mmCIF file with all atom_site columns, all heavy atoms in Angstrom:
data_model
loop_
_atom_site.group_PDB
_atom_site.id
_atom_site.type_symbol
_atom_site.label_atom_id
_atom_site.label_alt_id
_atom_site.label_comp_id
_atom_site.label_asym_id
_atom_site.label_entity_id
_atom_site.label_seq_id
_atom_site.pdbx_PDB_ins_code
_atom_site.Cartn_x
_atom_site.Cartn_y
_atom_site.Cartn_z
_atom_site.occupancy
_atom_site.B_iso_or_equiv
_atom_site.pdbx_formal_charge
_atom_site.auth_seq_id
_atom_site.auth_comp_id
_atom_site.auth_asym_id
_atom_site.auth_atom_id
_atom_site.pdbx_PDB_model_num
ATOM 1  N N   . HIS B 1 193 ? -2.805 -12.590 27.072 1.00 96.00 ? 214 HIS B N   1
ATOM 2  C CA  . HIS B 1 193 ? -3.226 -13.789 26.364 1.00 96.00 ? 214 HIS B CA  1
ATOM 3  C C   . HIS B 1 193 ? -2.018 -14.645 25.992 1.00 96.00 ? 214 HIS B C   1
ATOM 4  O O   . HIS B 1 193 ? -2.001 -15.865 26.196 1.00 96.00 ? 214 HIS B O   1
ATOM 5  C CB  . HIS B 1 193 ? -3.991 -13.391 25.106 1.00 96.00 ? 214 HIS B CB  1
ATOM 6  C CG  . HIS B 1 193 ? -4.285 -14.538 24.190 1.00 96.00 ? 214 HIS B CG  1
ATOM 7  N ND1 . HIS B 1 193 ? -5.327 -15.394 24.400 1.00 96.00 ? 214 HIS B ND1 1
ATOM 8  C CD2 . HIS B 1 193 ? -3.651 -14.983 23.081 1.00 96.00 ? 214 HIS B CD2 1
ATOM 9  C CE1 . HIS B 1 193 ? -5.340 -16.316 23.455 1.00 96.00 ? 214 HIS B CE1 1
ATOM 10 N NE2 . HIS B 1 193 ? -4.333 -16.096 22.639 1.00 96.00 ? 214 HIS B NE2 1
ATOM 11 N N   . ALA B 1 194 ? -1.015 -14.017 25.444 1.00 96.00 ? 215 ALA B N   1
ATOM 12 C CA  . ALA B 1 194 ? 0.158  -14.757 24.989 1.00 96.00 ? 215 ALA B CA  1
ATOM 13 C C   . ALA B 1 194 ? 0.927  -15.337 26.175 1.00 96.00 ? 215 ALA B C   1
ATOM 14 O O   . ALA B 1 194 ? 1.438  -16.459 26.108 1.00 96.00 ? 215 ALA B O   1
ATOM 15 C CB  . ALA B 1 194 ? 1.056  -13.846 24.162 1.00 96.00 ? 215 ALA B CB  1
ATOM 16 N N   . GLN B 1 195 ? 1.010  -14.591 27.258 1.00 97.00 ? 216 GLN B N   1
ATOM 17 C CA  . GLN B 1 195 ? 1.706  -15.112 28.441 1.00 97.00 ? 216 GLN B CA  1
ATOM 18 C C   . GLN B 1 195 ? 1.041  -16.402 28.912 1.00 97.00 ? 216 GLN B C   1
ATOM 19 O O   . GLN B 1 195 ? 1.707  -17.412 29.157 1.00 97.00 ? 216 GLN B O   1
ATOM 20 C CB  . GLN B 1 195 ? 1.674  -14.073 29.566 1.00 97.00 ? 216 GLN B CB  1
ATOM 21 C CG  . GLN B 1 195 ? 2.606  -12.889 29.325 1.00 97.00 ? 216 GLN B CG  1
ATOM 22 C CD  . GLN B 1 195 ? 2.500  -11.836 30.425 1.00 97.00 ? 216 GLN B CD  1
ATOM 23 O OE1 . GLN B 1 195 ? 1.437  -11.681 31.039 1.00 97.00 ? 216 GLN B OE1 1
ATOM 24 N NE2 . GLN B 1 195 ? 3.576  -11.112 30.662 1.00 97.00 ? 216 GLN B NE2 1
ATOM 25 N N   . ALA B 1 196 ? -0.281 -16.351 29.022 1.00 96.00 ? 217 ALA B N   1
ATOM 26 C CA  . ALA B 1 196 ? -1.002 -17.531 29.496 1.00 96.00 ? 217 ALA B CA  1
ATOM 27 C C   . ALA B 1 196 ? -0.806 -18.699 28.528 1.00 96.00 ? 217 ALA B C   1
ATOM 28 O O   . ALA B 1 196 ? -0.575 -19.838 28.942 1.00 96.00 ? 217 ALA B O   1
ATOM 29 C CB  . ALA B 1 196 ? -2.485 -17.205 29.651 1.00 96.00 ? 217 ALA B CB  1
ATOM 30 N N   . ALA B 1 197 ? -0.893 -18.396 27.239 1.00 95.00 ? 218 ALA B N   1
ATOM 31 C CA  . ALA B 1 197 ? -0.745 -19.461 26.247 1.00 95.00 ? 218 ALA B CA  1
ATOM 32 C C   . ALA B 1 197 ? 0.636  -20.078 26.320 1.00 95.00 ? 218 ALA B C   1
ATOM 33 O O   . ALA B 1 197 ? 0.797  -21.302 26.266 1.00 95.00 ? 218 ALA B O   1
ATOM 34 C CB  . ALA B 1 197 ? -1.018 -18.902 24.851 1.00 95.00 ? 218 ALA B CB  1
ATOM 35 N N   . LEU B 1 198 ? 1.657  -19.243 26.452 1.00 96.00 ? 219 LEU B N   1
ATOM 36 C CA  . LEU B 1 198 ? 3.028  -19.754 26.501 1.00 96.00 ? 219 LEU B CA  1
ATOM 37 C C   . LEU B 1 198 ? 3.263  -20.580 27.758 1.00 96.00 ? 219 LEU B C   1
ATOM 38 O O   . LEU B 1 198 ? 3.839  -21.670 27.695 1.00 96.00 ? 219 LEU B O   1
ATOM 39 C CB  . LEU B 1 198 ? 4.018  -18.587 26.430 1.00 96.00 ? 219 LEU B CB  1
ATOM 40 C CG  . LEU B 1 198 ? 4.115  -17.943 25.045 1.00 96.00 ? 219 LEU B CG  1
ATOM 41 C CD1 . LEU B 1 198 ? 4.656  -16.522 25.153 1.00 96.00 ? 219 LEU B CD1 1
ATOM 42 C CD2 . LEU B 1 198 ? 5.027  -18.769 24.135 1.00 96.00 ? 219 LEU B CD2 1
ATOM 43 N N   . LEU B 1 199 ? 2.829  -20.062 28.894 1.00 97.00 ? 220 LEU B N   1
ATOM 44 C CA  . LEU B 1 199 ? 2.981  -20.831 30.129 1.00 97.00 ? 220 LEU B CA  1
ATOM 45 C C   . LEU B 1 199 ? 2.234  -22.157 29.989 1.00 97.00 ? 220 LEU B C   1
ATOM 46 O O   . LEU B 1 199 ? 2.718  -23.204 30.416 1.00 97.00 ? 220 LEU B O   1
ATOM 47 C CB  . LEU B 1 199 ? 2.468  -20.030 31.324 1.00 97.00 ? 220 LEU B CB  1
ATOM 48 C CG  . LEU B 1 199 ? 3.328  -18.806 31.720 1.00 97.00 ? 220 LEU B CG  1
ATOM 49 C CD1 . LEU B 1 199 ? 2.643  -17.997 32.816 1.00 97.00 ? 220 LEU B CD1 1
ATOM 50 C CD2 . LEU B 1 199 ? 4.722  -19.251 32.179 1.00 97.00 ? 220 LEU B CD2 1
ATOM 51 N N   . GLY B 1 200 ? 1.072  -22.078 29.369 1.00 96.00 ? 221 GLY B N   1
ATOM 52 C CA  . GLY B 1 200 ? 0.285  -23.294 29.158 1.00 96.00 ? 221 GLY B CA  1
ATOM 53 C C   . GLY B 1 200 ? 1.019  -24.341 28.327 1.00 96.00 ? 221 GLY B C   1
ATOM 54 O O   . GLY B 1 200 ? 0.819  -25.542 28.488 1.00 96.00 ? 221 GLY B O   1
ATOM 55 N N   . LYS B 1 201 ? 1.865  -23.845 27.430 1.00 94.00 ? 222 LYS B N   1
ATOM 56 C CA  . LYS B 1 201 ? 2.638  -24.779 26.611 1.00 94.00 ? 222 LYS B CA  1
ATOM 57 C C   . LYS B 1 201 ? 3.941  -25.188 27.275 1.00 94.00 ? 222 LYS B C   1
ATOM 58 O O   . LYS B 1 201 ? 4.770  -25.862 26.662 1.00 94.00 ? 222 LYS B O   1
ATOM 59 C CB  . LYS B 1 201 ? 2.984  -24.114 25.280 1.00 94.00 ? 222 LYS B CB  1
ATOM 60 C CG  . LYS B 1 201 ? 1.804  -23.933 24.350 1.00 94.00 ? 222 LYS B CG  1
ATOM 61 C CD  . LYS B 1 201 ? 2.277  -23.319 23.036 1.00 94.00 ? 222 LYS B CD  1
ATOM 62 C CE  . LYS B 1 201 ? 1.096  -23.092 22.111 1.00 94.00 ? 222 LYS B CE  1
ATOM 63 N NZ  . LYS B 1 201 ? 1.523  -22.510 20.834 1.00 94.00 ? 222 LYS B NZ  1
ATOM 64 N N   . GLY B 1 202 ? 4.148  -24.678 28.479 1.00 96.00 ? 223 GLY B N   1
ATOM 65 C CA  . GLY B 1 202 ? 5.361  -25.058 29.182 1.00 96.00 ? 223 GLY B CA  1
ATOM 66 C C   . GLY B 1 202 ? 6.562  -24.173 28.902 1.00 96.00 ? 223 GLY B C   1
ATOM 67 O O   . GLY B 1 202 ? 7.684  -24.474 29.289 1.00 96.00 ? 223 GLY B O   1
ATOM 68 N N   . ILE B 1 203 ? 6.329  -23.068 28.226 1.00 96.00 ? 224 ILE B N   1
ATOM 69 C CA  . ILE B 1 203 ? 7.425  -22.117 27.977 1.00 96.00 ? 224 ILE B CA  1
ATOM 70 C C   . ILE B 1 203 ? 7.535  -21.236 29.218 1.00 96.00 ? 224 ILE B C   1
ATOM 71 O O   . ILE B 1 203 ? 6.699  -20.362 29.435 1.00 96.00 ? 224 ILE B O   1
ATOM 72 C CB  . ILE B 1 203 ? 7.131  -21.222 26.764 1.00 96.00 ? 224 ILE B CB  1
ATOM 73 C CG1 . ILE B 1 203 ? 6.652  -22.035 25.573 1.00 96.00 ? 224 ILE B CG1 1
ATOM 74 C CG2 . ILE B 1 203 ? 8.330  -20.351 26.426 1.00 96.00 ? 224 ILE B CG2 1
ATOM 75 C CD1 . ILE B 1 203 ? 7.675  -22.887 24.933 1.00 96.00 ? 224 ILE B CD1 1
ATOM 76 N N   . LYS B 1 204 ? 8.576  -21.410 30.021 1.00 97.00 ? 225 LYS B N   1
ATOM 77 C CA  . LYS B 1 204 ? 8.662  -20.665 31.270 1.00 97.00 ? 225 LYS B CA  1
ATOM 78 C C   . LYS B 1 204 ? 9.881  -19.767 31.364 1.00 97.00 ? 225 LYS B C   1
ATOM 79 O O   . LYS B 1 204 ? 10.005 -18.966 32.290 1.00 97.00 ? 225 LYS B O   1
ATOM 80 C CB  . LYS B 1 204 ? 8.643  -21.655 32.431 1.00 97.00 ? 225 LYS B CB  1
ATOM 81 C CG  . LYS B 1 204 ? 7.358  -22.486 32.417 1.00 97.00 ? 225 LYS B CG  1
ATOM 82 C CD  . LYS B 1 204 ? 7.154  -23.314 33.642 1.00 97.00 ? 225 LYS B CD  1
ATOM 83 C CE  . LYS B 1 204 ? 5.752  -23.931 33.567 1.00 97.00 ? 225 LYS B CE  1
ATOM 84 N NZ  . LYS B 1 204 ? 5.508  -24.892 34.643 1.00 97.00 ? 225 LYS B NZ  1
ATOM 85 N N   . GLY B 1 205 ? 10.819 -19.917 30.442 1.00 97.00 ? 226 GLY B N   1
ATOM 86 C CA  . GLY B 1 205 ? 12.064 -19.158 30.517 1.00 97.00 ? 226 GLY B CA  1
ATOM 87 C C   . GLY B 1 205 ? 11.949 -17.779 29.878 1.00 97.00 ? 226 GLY B C   1
ATOM 88 O O   . GLY B 1 205 ? 10.896 -17.412 29.338 1.00 97.00 ? 226 GLY B O   1
#
Side-chain angles (χ1 to χ4, degrees):
Chain B
H214 171 81
Q216 287 177 331
L219 287 158
L220 290 174
K222 289 182 182 180
I224 312 290
K225 300 190 172 173

